[in-house]
Amino acid sequence: MANPLGKRWYDDACGTALGLELVGERWALLIVRELMFGGRRFSELRAGLPGISANVLTQRLERMEAVGIVQRRKLPPPANVQVYELTPWGYEAEPAIQSLGRWAVRSPLHDPTLDLSPASIMMSFRTMYSAERVGTASETLGFRFGDEVFVVTVDGTELTVRRDEPDGCPVVVDTTPPMLAAVVYGDMPVEDAEATGQMTVTGDRDVLRRFASWFVLPEKAG
Amino acid sequence: MANPLGKRWYDDACGTALGLELVGERWALLIVRELMFGGRRFSELRAGLPGISANVLTQRLERMEAVGIVQRRKLPPPANVQVYELTPWGYEAEPAIQSLGRWAVRSPLHDPTLDLSPASIMMSFRTMYSAERVGTASETLGFRFGDEVFVVTVDGTELTVRRDEPDGCPVVVDTTPPMLAAVVYGDMPVEDAEATGQMTVTGDRDVLRRFASWFVLPEKAG
DNA sequence: CGGCATCCGGGAAGATACTG
DNA sequence: CAGTATCTTCCCGGATGCCG
């Protein structure tokens, strides 16, 4: 057996080579990223992947379904819509996505001011937070990017992200992903972000300030 | 700034997306794998990457040099040959390569009987060895695949691989990468491998048998 | 032989338009 | 909204050939 899907095949027993067969096509790994916090609809995926065209997204989803990374699920009526979600093994790709990101961020070519999706910045929190800096702290924060909502829980050893209504969190941040990145990874003070009109903080701003201190971007390489 | 190199650009602040720009093209990450244990010449790279064409290899090396992953070095006369090697930051891609491989190997599509390069199996040792199984053991083994030679040192917390003449090691294994994989990851006994004529063991076979017990392939998903 | 340029055929990606 | 159809452009792979 060599060539179950497609024509171009590395024909290599190396796991990395197989990984590239599975998610090495353009956009594939970013689709996995978008699915990392739960099932998404076709149009939601498109929104998180600016530049992808519908036919490519269709192809990738089909292929990743065929190889067991993605499954499609039809929500019960009356919602009756279809969502794509990761299989349990698909979710296990998270460390691979994180390692690649952690390495690439050190490139001089990395431009943190570009746009990024809500799923991207949530993933970056899971990738970049420093348990050492968190210490024994324990916090819950809500984030709202338009209609994409998240609740992030930090408890010292773990940072968890789930898509959920943030009302009731001690602090809720309503903003855009790049603005949040500027506050967490850049030097932008919370009040400056609010002054731009692109961030609204409800509740205890100090929780957000502390949160921002727990993340470090690795320094650039040579 | 958006598009320093090439036309297709994700334009995404996400580190993973940048990683895909850098090493997401076909063959790129496998070239990095081949360079992981030291500089290699053009033809040596081709040998480790069956199926790559010369022009694609040239393109990838050029691009990876431009983005700071690869550097070329001219050996002093009279050798006077050029080798491609990783930059220090390039070497730091190892965890990303390993994570991807560790994840992909659990796919039902993984076929461990396919061919693989010497660098691949050495990388797999670094990826798959279980410090728990090694315990307090400490061993040195030599491997010889035609003219590619390696010395592997295991000392409980660390497994190191270097390209070096294996003479003088307590055990030296002269074989092919797939045969070695069959012994280490499959169930093939050392004496069966020798009986095929594709493996010659010089020195203490028990060292090799113990070595083989330190590696576990993760079980298949779903 | 090592490295790179050039040409060609096929296939994958991107853009747009269209349909259920 | 969730895709399909179509067309164009670009990339990949193979072959050849040049030049050190």
Side-chain angles (χ1 to χ4, degrees):
Chain A
M1 152 204 3
N3 209 329
L5 303 154
K7 313 269 169 76
R8 298 176 183 173
W9 204 256
Y10 291 119
D11 267 323
D12 195 323
C14 168
T16 304
L18 177 62
L20 293 170
E21 308 284 11
L22 298 173
V23 295
E25 290 173 305
R26 199 165 164 77
W27 295 108
L29 204 56
L30 300 183
I31 296 172
V32 176
R33 176 196 76 193
E34 289 298 310
L35 293 175
M36 216 58 181
F37 303 109
R40 306 255 78 197
R41 305 170 52 164
F42 194 89
S43 59
E44 295 172 325
L45 288 171
R46 289 194 72 173
L49 300 165
I52 198 173
S53 56
N55 49 9
V56 170
L57 179 53
T58 301
Q59 272 176 238
R60 293 299 173 275
L61 289 169
E62 272 171 6
R63 184 182 168 98
M64 291 199 288
E65 189 181 6
V67 298
I69 298 169
V70 163
Q71 58 197 10
R72 67 182 79 194
R73 195 157 51 96
K74 192 144 208 155
L75 295 186
N80 212 28
V81 296
Q82 191 175 228
V83 299
Y84 297 88
E85 57 186 14
L86 295 176
T87 63
W89 173 58
Y91 279 108
E92 292 174 24
E94 186 179 358
I97 294 177
Q98 291 183 352
S99 309
L100 181 61
R102 198 179 293 111
W103 171 73
V105 150
R106 301 191 52 206
S107 164
L109 275 73
H110 181 239
D111 181 353
T113 67
L114 293 176
D115 202 1
L116 78 171
S117 75
S120 286
I121 192 155
M122 290 295 137
M123 181 63 101
S124 83
F125 290 160
R126 280 178 61 78
T127 306
M128 295 301 176
Y129 101 111
S130 153
E132 187 192 2
R133 289 192 173 210
V134 175
T136 61
S138 175
E139 299 283 4
T140 301
L141 296 87
F143 295 97
R144 198 182 279 285
F145 310 102
D147 53 359
E148 294 208 42
V149 292
F150 295 87
V151 173
V152 175
T153 307
V154 185
D155 80 355
T157 62
E158 234 177 319
L159 183 151
T160 60
V161 174
R162 66 176 199 278
R163 291 188 189 269
D164 199 0
E165 269 304 322
D167 302 317
C169 291
V171 64
V172 178
V173 186
D174 188 330
T175 186
T176 64
M179 185 56 62
L180 182 55
V183 169
V184 171
Y185 297 115
D187 293 327
M188 185 176 288
V190 173
E191 53 275 21
D192 289 13
E194 293 189 282
T196 66
Q198 290 185 59
M199 177 177 284
T200 306
V201 182
T202 310
D204 188 348
R205 282 166 180 72
D206 280 334
V207 173
L208 175 58
R209 293 195 182 94
R210 244 175 292 141
F211 180 82
S213 73
W214 293 334
F215 301 88
V216 242
L217 278 188
E219 34 180 88
K220 301 278 186 197
Chain B
M1 149 198 17
N3 208 331
L5 302 153
K7 315 268 169 75
R8 297 178 183 172
W9 204 255
Y10 291 119
D11 268 323
D12 195 322
C14 168
T16 304
L18 177 61
L20 293 170
E21 308 284 10
L22 298 173
V23 294
E25 289 174 304
R26 198 165 165 76
W27 296 107
L29 203 56
L30 300 183
I31 296 171
V32 177
R33 175 197 77 190
E34 289 297 311
L35 293 174
M36 216 59 185
F37 303 110
R40 307 255 78 197
R41 305 169 53 161
F42 193 88
S43 58
E44 295 172 324
L45 289 171
R46 289 195 72 174
L49 300 166
I52 197 173
S53 57
N55 50 8
V56 170
L57 179 53
T58 300
Q59 271 176 237
R60 294 298 174 275
L61 289 169
E62 271 172 5
R63 185 183 168 94
M64 292 199 288
E65 188 180 8
V67 299
I69 298 169
V70 163
Q71 58 197 12
R72 68 181 77 195
R73 194 156 52 95
K74 193 146 209 154
L75 296 186
N80 211 26
V81 295
Q82 192 173 225
V83 298
Y84 297 88
E85 57 186 13
L86 295 176
T87 62
W89 173 59
Y91 279 108
E92 293 174 23
E94 185 178 359
I97 294 176
Q98 292 184 351
S99 309
L100 182 60
R102 198 179 291 112
W103 171 75
V105 150
R106 300 192 53 206
S107 164
L109 276 75
H110 181 240
D111 180 354
T113 67
L114 292 176
D115 201 2
L116 78 171
S117 74
S120 286
I121 191 154
M122 289 296 136
M123 181 64 99
S124 83
F125 290 160
R126 281 178 60 78
T127 306
M128 295 302 176
Y129 102 111
S130 154
E132 187 191 2
R133 289 191 174 214
V134 175
T136 60
S138 176
E139 300 284 3
T140 300
L141 297 87
F143 294 96
R144 200 182 278 286
F145 311 102
D147 53 359
E148 294 210 41
V149 292
F150 296 88
V151 172
V152 175
T153 307
V154 186
D155 79 355
T157 61
E158 235 177 317
L159 182 152
T160 60
V161 174
R162 67 174 198 280
R163 292 189 188 268
D164 199 359
E165 269 304 322
D167 303 317
C169 291
V171 64
V172 178
V173 186
D174 188 330
T175 185
T176 64
M179 185 56 63
L180 182 55
V183 169
V184 171
Y185 296 115
D187 293 327
M188 183 174 291
V190 173
E191 53 274 23
D192 289 14
E194 293 189 281
T196 66
Q198 289 185 58
M199 177 178 285
T200 307
V201 182
T202 310
D204 188 349
R205 281 166 182 72
D206 280 335
V207 173
L208 175 58
R209 293 195 183 95
R210 243 175 292 140
F211 180 81
S213 72
W214 294 334
F215 300 88
V216 242
L217 278 188
E219 33 181 88
K220 300 278 185 198

